[in-house]
Amino acid sequence: MPDVTRILEIVDSALDTEAIARRIRENLHEHSLEAREFPEFAVTPPPWDPHSRFPEPVHYDLQQAHEAYTQTWVTMPPLTSRLPLVGRIKRAFHRLVLYYVNRLASQQMVVNAAILRVLTRLVVAPDAAAPDADLAALQDEIAALRARVAQLEASAEEDVP
Amino acid sequence: MSHIRAIHQMLGNAGPGNSISAGARLLRNALHEWGYASELYAETVAPASAWKDARHFSRYRPTPDDVLILHYTQASALSDFVRTLSCPLILIYHNVTPAHFFIGVNPDVLATTQRGLAELSTFRERVVLAIADSAFNCRDLLAAGYPQTTVVPIIIPETLSQTLPDPAVTATLADSVNLLCVGRIAPNKRCEDVIKVLYYYRQIEPAARLFLVGHTEYTGPYVAWLREFVAWLGLEDAVTFTGHVPDAALAAYYRHAAAFVYMSEHEGFGIPLVESMRFGVPVLAYAAAAIPETLDGAGILVHEKHFPVVAEMLHLLQTDPGLRTQVVERQFARARDFAPATILALLRKQIEGVLLSLGE
């Protein structure tokens, strides 16, 4: 059960904060609200370290992708003209074009960001290294079992009259 | 007696719906009452007729007896212009959102926020008084090398809480339990965390809805991702991105809000917190940056983003009228600390103190 008094702070001597915390705990139990995982907007690219199961170029490319994926957003200084009316028309046209281009760009960035989040999670996921670790543990276990079997066989042979 | 006769203000945007400019306008009126000439100069001036009293900064003509107040939020053509002037400067620092929040969101904003903090120190030689609107913001001023700093909260006009709510908006809010979050839709606001609160709260109160009220320009990829996130959670009918709304609509959202939920991770002050307190809307806010300071014991602070617990707290506020009343009463008391007359008196003391030293 979460420590409600650590999560919420109510500074009011007229209120019984302990009673509020108790009621929240009771309601949590009654409503069965369970914490769950959510996707995140921002994911930081992982720096390469020698223990990574992926070679350094993979981390380099991931870093590059993180730095570049927003570059589809278009910015340009406003168009100008010495004639005020022409200048206004040019600026209005310029804003209109940027509006539509950047609507497209923002959708593309959402796709790029989603792909990057998936790639980043695959690279940094704690269980990404698990198959190797599991394999090593299994090999150790097999070796131990083989030794044990050999030992048992040896002792069984000794017992044979 | 000081020889200064004019105190003008320079700000990024002047127009309705902009909190800094609304406060600057009140200050300008107060400066007139205190006997100073005072004009508003801005980089962007809204075309609305109500704001014809603000001018583009390029129309400013310096005179030897001027003092300028620069409202600083980011690097801009206006701040470049102010740097070329030689008159004494009063810097009012409203905070620069850290640039890293805009990586992958908007390279323009990323650049201006990066420049914004880097260039904060460049006014140091000419600044006679550096004001931060929170102690949290004051840290940036100290880091930028300003030796004399003071904290005066931002001026927040009380007109919004006196505005008649838009009946058309009010009609859309009648049959639901409305959670509210107000502010530019930007990554530092962590709107996704407010959506997560709604996700859990809907399991307790299926009639709950969330209204995210604020500009969606400049943060296109983030807004698009949020919409995808809402769809992924199956909350399309429960979450509304209103965009920027006029005051009457904003008043309607506040009037009919069950709670104000703020999960922002970077706020230099948090103006919507004060507005919520004035409207009597219980506040649940993440304890980051200047937020604990602005609430100062009012509302409910969230120290750890455990969303089921936050949802249960919302449920208690909805179902226990005594608890809700007590929370709201304490918020009203805190909101009174931000009465414009109080803040203007603080500012006057600071400004006239520094003018006196200039006249000596």
Side-chain angles (χ1 to χ4, degrees):
Chain A
M1 206 39 99
D3 183 352
V4 177
T5 51
R6 221 185 58 199
I7 295 168
L8 301 176
E9 181 187 344
I10 305 170
V11 186
D12 191 337
S13 55
L15 292 171
D16 183 349
T17 49
E18 272 304 319
I20 291 170
R22 191 175 57 248
R23 286 166 68 193
I24 287 177
R25 280 193 294 270
E26 286 165 7
N27 289 345
L28 273 173
H29 182 71
E30 186 190 327
H31 296 132
S32 308
L33 299 185
E34 284 176 16
R36 60 168 286 184
E37 291 287 315
F38 295 98
E40 289 296 328
F41 176 68
V43 176
T44 316
W48 183 76
D49 78 87
H51 302 295
S52 171
R53 67 193 293 259
F54 292 98
E56 193 172 0
V58 171
H59 285 262
Y60 173 79
D61 286 337
L62 200 57
Q63 184 84 39
Q64 290 295 302
H66 269 277
E67 284 169 17
Y69 82 93
T70 60
Q71 301 303 316
T72 45
W73 190 272
V74 181
T75 55
M76 278 170 64
L79 303 173
T80 54
S81 168
R82 287 159 70 185
L83 302 169
L85 181 64
V86 175
R88 232 178 291 161
I89 293 168
K90 283 171 88 173
R91 279 193 294 277
F93 179 71
H94 175 83
R95 276 200 298 269
L96 191 69
V97 170
L98 283 192
Y99 171 76
Y100 283 107
V101 167
N102 280 333
R103 267 187 75 164
L104 190 67
S106 68
Q107 283 302 321
Q108 186 58 52
M109 278 194 262
V110 170
V111 174
N112 295 349
I115 293 170
L116 267 177
R117 277 193 289 270
V118 170
L119 284 174
T120 306
R121 287 205 175 101
L122 287 174
V123 169
V124 297
D127 60 350
D132 290 346
D134 286 351
L135 197 63
L138 282 170
Q139 282 171 339
D140 288 348
E141 206 174 329
I142 288 168
L145 287 169
R146 278 188 177 147
R148 178 102 178 106
V149 168
Q151 195 184 15
L152 288 170
E153 281 176 351
S155 57
E157 278 170 17
E158 281 171 16
D159 290 344
V160 173
Chain B
M1 184 67 186
S2 160
H3 60 283
I4 300 297
R5 297 269 40 103
I7 304 174
H8 302 301
Q9 295 178 80
M10 296 274 174
L11 58 155
N13 298 296
N18 182 292
S19 318
I20 292 172
S21 67
R25 213 172 183 209
L26 278 189
L27 177 57
R28 191 267 320 269
N29 296 345
L31 285 165
H32 287 167
E33 284 174 21
W34 302 339
Y36 299 99
S38 183
E39 299 289 346
L40 293 180
Y41 293 95
E43 186 164 353
T44 313
V45 182
S49 58
W51 285 86
K52 276 190 176 157
D53 52 359
R55 303 172 189 176
H56 190 263
F57 70 82
S58 60
R59 294 177 64 189
Y60 170 67
R61 300 287 174 267
T63 69
D65 294 343
D66 283 1
V67 164
L68 283 185
I69 295 176
L70 172 64
H71 294 267
Y72 193 79
T73 55
Q74 63 177 27
S76 63
L78 178 123
S79 59
D80 291 342
F81 172 74
V82 170
R83 208 174 288 111
T84 64
L85 304 172
S86 57
C87 52
L89 205 57
I90 295 173
L91 180 72
I92 301 186
Y93 177 61
H94 300 285
N95 194 263
V96 176
T97 306
H100 69 85
F101 284 111
F102 298 99
I103 295 171
V105 176
N106 186 327
D108 287 346
V109 180
L110 178 67
T112 53
T113 48
Q114 271 170 338
R115 262 186 66 201
L117 210 51
E119 292 180 8
L120 180 59
S121 61
T122 58
F123 305 98
R124 209 169 44 208
E125 301 304 318
R126 293 197 11 250
V127 165
V128 291
L129 175 64
I131 300 172
D133 39 31
S134 64
F136 174 79
N137 285 351
C138 207
R139 291 183 215 167
D140 283 351
L141 288 178
L142 293 170
Y146 288 91
Q148 271 201 308
T149 59
T150 186
V151 175
V152 179
I154 189 168
I155 308 164
I156 310 167
E158 287 171 322
T159 44
L160 183 65
S161 51
Q162 294 152 5
T163 303
L164 281 178
D166 182 330
V169 175
T170 301
T172 65
L173 304 170
D175 300 324
S176 48
V177 177
N178 307 309
L179 305 185
L180 181 63
C181 182
V182 177
R184 180 176 65 166
I185 310 296
N188 59 303
K189 307 280 182 186
R190 294 292 297 194
C191 299
E192 62 269 43
D193 290 343
V194 186
I195 294 166
K196 290 172 199 172
V197 171
L198 175 78
Y199 168 81
Y200 286 108
Y201 186 50
R202 292 258 298 179
Q203 294 175 40
I204 309 166
E205 174 51 86
R209 289 165 73 197
L210 169 64
F211 293 87
L212 293 162
V213 181
H215 276 292
T216 54
E217 296 99 284
Y218 315 118
T219 53
Y222 177 61
V223 176
W225 181 84
L226 281 178
R227 289 186 194 281
E228 297 292 327
F229 182 57
V230 167
W232 184 73
L233 291 171
L235 295 173
E236 296 101 317
D237 297 335
V239 178
T240 305
F241 294 86
T242 68
H244 175 69
V245 297
D247 278 0
L250 185 55
Y253 286 115
Y254 274 117
R255 286 244 176 268
H256 296 275
F260 185 84
V261 186
Y262 215 37
M263 293 288 118
S264 179
E265 294 189 351
H266 186 93
E267 290 299 324
F269 183 84
I271 291 169
L273 298 170
V274 176
E275 286 172 345
S276 298
M277 292 195 284
R278 283 179 178 164
F279 273 95
V281 180
V283 172
L284 274 109
Y286 184 56
I291 291 171
E293 185 187 339
T294 301
L295 290 175
D296 193 30
I300 294 154
L301 275 181
V302 177
H303 284 282
E304 191 184 308
K305 289 189 179 177
H306 192 296
F307 303 111
V309 168
V310 178
E312 290 293 0
M313 188 66 232
L314 282 172
H315 177 59
L316 277 192
L317 285 168
Q318 270 306 101
T319 53
D320 184 339
L323 171 65
R324 186 185 177 89
T325 305
Q326 184 59 34
V327 169
V328 166
E329 284 304 319
R330 193 176 166 104
Q331 289 185 175
F332 278 137
R334 176 57 177 154
R336 282 194 284 277
D337 296 340
F338 299 106
T342 310
I343 308 300
L344 284 168
L346 287 173
L347 270 176
R348 183 178 191 177
K349 193 177 161 199
Q350 293 294 335
I351 291 171
E352 295 199 330
V354 84
L355 294 188
L356 210 59
S357 66
L358 283 176
E360 283 167 359

